[in-house]
Amino acid sequence: MGFALATAAKEAGWSVDLVAGPVSLPEPAGVMVYPVVTAAEMQRQSDALFGPCDVLIMTAAVSDWRPKVTEPQKLKKDGQGLTVELEPVPDIVSSLAEERRTDQFLVGFAAETENVEVNALDKLERKGLDLIAANSVAGSEGAFGSDHNKLVVLGRNGFREVLGPASKAVVARQLIDVIARLVAARAS
Ligand code: C5P
């Protein structure tokens, strides 16, 4: 979905920086791609790019936990079980929201398995976003690894719009359109 949005934003005339984890998708034409592997790298790169940016769209399904210790060598098995201690991964979009300017527009994604809109609105508030695109990942509707998607886009002051179901390319163009409208309305 991130790649589809980068393509749609570029087609709409935006200047686009794409911070992307490892995926097997062709790079969108005319977009600056910043490859990252870990959440910490994604945070550092996003921090570095955030200052001059007008719109931040965070589609990344960042892991909630990471191992506390990284072993330099392969662990030998010894016939015993293994307990791995995990620590929480810092929330990238929330930390950017804390340092945002009021003219910057922040969009998050929420993949939910139940109470999609209630949970997404809670996330919108908690993370300090302007807009959240929620999709259900329950059952066969799942967006992960699929070419299709359906989003419920929720904003402040009761804003609600349903995009799709359609291909991710079409949904992405619609979402870029919604963002452009809301940004223009806020500026006027
Ligand atoms: O809390 P949850 O992962 O459901 O929130 C989803 C939103 O928060 C997405 O926009 C995702 O990119 C962002 N996120 C983040 N940093 C994290 C986890 C999620 O920016 N560590």
Side-chain angles (χ1 to χ4, degrees), residues 1-5 7 25-26 135 140-151 163-173:
M1 198 62 215
F3 275 56
L5 281 164
T7 304
L25 289 167
N135 55 8
S140 57
E141 290 180 26
F144 293 141
S146 155
D147 184 45
H148 276 64
N149 206 356
K150 176 186 160 192
L151 299 177
L163 310 180
S167 71
K168 284 183 177 172
V170 168
V171 173
R173 272 182 233 128

Side-chain angles (χ1 to χ4, degrees), residues 58-60 62-64 89-93 108-109 123 127:
M58 276 293 297
T59 62
V62 185
S63 175
D64 292 328
V89 170
D91 199 285
I92 301 170
V93 81
F109 268 66
K123 225 162 262 185
K127 300 196 181 216

